[in-house]
Amino acid sequence: MKNQIRGMRIIVTDTYKDMSKKAATIVASQVNLKPNSILGLATGGTPVGMYKELVEMYNNDEVDFSEVKTFNLDEYYPIERTNDQSYFYYMNDNLFKHVNVLEENINIPNGKAEDIEKESYEYDKNIYNSGGIDLQVLGIGTNGHIGFNEPDIAFESGTHKVKLDSETIEANARFFESIDDVPTEAISMGMKTIMQSKKIVLLANGEGKAKIIEKMLFGEISPNVPASILQLHPHVIVILDREAAKYIEEKIN
Ligand code: F6R
């Protein structure tokens, strides 16, 4: 089959909007097929358009989130939920306040947890006890991180506290007034947690992601490029816009 590398199917779209629509359709189909789906969710710039599309689909009665349970990939540490830079705030702003996911079904690592080990252990246990993630949405950092699993991460890691890479801090500075305001730590689902998801949809747009997308799909599988481990997952859909697909389009057609 074309556009297929091992367990990864690659879809190249013309624009960011098309990428977002495709991703929203996949998430909505998952929920329509299994109304009590467990969704793994990402933040950052990439999925904003997907959340917009999902809100629109919800408003058009095309999807119902009333039985869905969600687990977010990560949260800065330390951060208050009320801080408008927290991922808790982001999720509420971009999705939760617009749709009918029940509050008790929303899970985001607690950026104020006092005992991080306990928080991490319970986060993973909660995912496990819910039956595991049916569909995990991922973005990708320019350094190949997924969640906040920065290069050289142990592939066997569960949810844990991480130190953010200088590249990640620089990339995320665009959301803050100054680079000094970007938190330097976070709590992130680990690689093991992510790899245990039944299906994964990874989104990337823009030329800035083109090189890392090539490495992720065609490079060696190495903790140096955390996303490269997705080559070993049996069910990944990678949705790219043309710019992010710049170095791979010829190879997949
Ligand atoms: C966000 C996350 C990160 C981002 C990645 C890309 O929850 O886990 O891995 O997906 O940093 O960020 P953007 O989309 O802002 O380029």
Side-chain angles (χ1 to χ4, degrees), residues 31-197:
V31 174
N32 286 330
L33 280 168
K34 185 182 175 205
N36 62 349
S37 284
I38 312 297
L39 299 181
L41 298 177
T43 57
T46 312
V48 168
M50 179 196 79
Y51 291 132
K52 255 199 194 123
E53 299 291 336
L54 279 171
V55 170
E56 207 178 308
M57 292 178 91
Y58 169 74
N59 287 333
N60 293 337
D61 280 337
E62 291 169 54
V63 61
D64 169 19
F65 295 96
S66 59
E67 291 177 58
V68 162
K69 205 172 199 181
T70 66
F71 287 90
N72 262 78
L73 278 169
D74 39 26
E75 177 60 284
Y76 287 124
Y77 185 85
I79 202 158
E80 297 281 351
R81 293 187 152 185
T82 46
N83 185 322
D84 62 6
Q85 293 293 352
S86 74
Y87 287 162
F88 186 90
Y89 192 97
Y90 169 108
M91 286 309 301
N92 201 35
D93 209 34
N94 284 290
L95 183 69
F96 295 143
K97 74 175 181 199
H98 307 287
V99 301
N100 64 342
V101 183
L102 298 181
E103 209 179 316
E104 64 261 33
N105 287 338
I106 295 172
N107 298 278
I108 301 178
N110 178 3
K112 284 298 272 185
E114 276 173 23
D115 185 340
I116 296 193
E117 268 187 31
K118 184 162 171 261
E119 168 73 16
S120 301
Y121 172 78
E122 282 178 358
Y123 203 69
D124 283 337
K125 196 167 103 188
N126 198 355
I127 293 174
Y128 181 81
N129 289 342
S130 305
I133 292 171
D134 291 300
L135 180 66
Q136 173 69 56
V137 177
L138 296 177
I140 182 169
T142 48
N143 63 0
H145 75 206
I146 48 178
F148 276 136
N149 295 286
E150 304 287 25
D152 296 325
I153 186 73
F155 279 159
E156 65 275 24
S157 57
T159 298
H160 63 304
K161 186 164 92 165
V162 293
K163 264 204 167 338
L164 300 183
D165 240 30
S166 52
E167 195 170 326
T168 303
I169 292 174
E170 271 165 39
N172 288 5
R174 69 191 197 278
F175 299 117
F176 293 80
E177 264 179 33
S178 118
I179 192 162
D180 299 330
D181 296 332
V182 185
T184 56
E185 294 185 318
I187 305 179
S188 177
M189 256 187 217
M191 297 301 286
K192 182 168 129 194
T193 326
I194 293 172
M195 283 298 278
Q196 282 172 342
S197 310

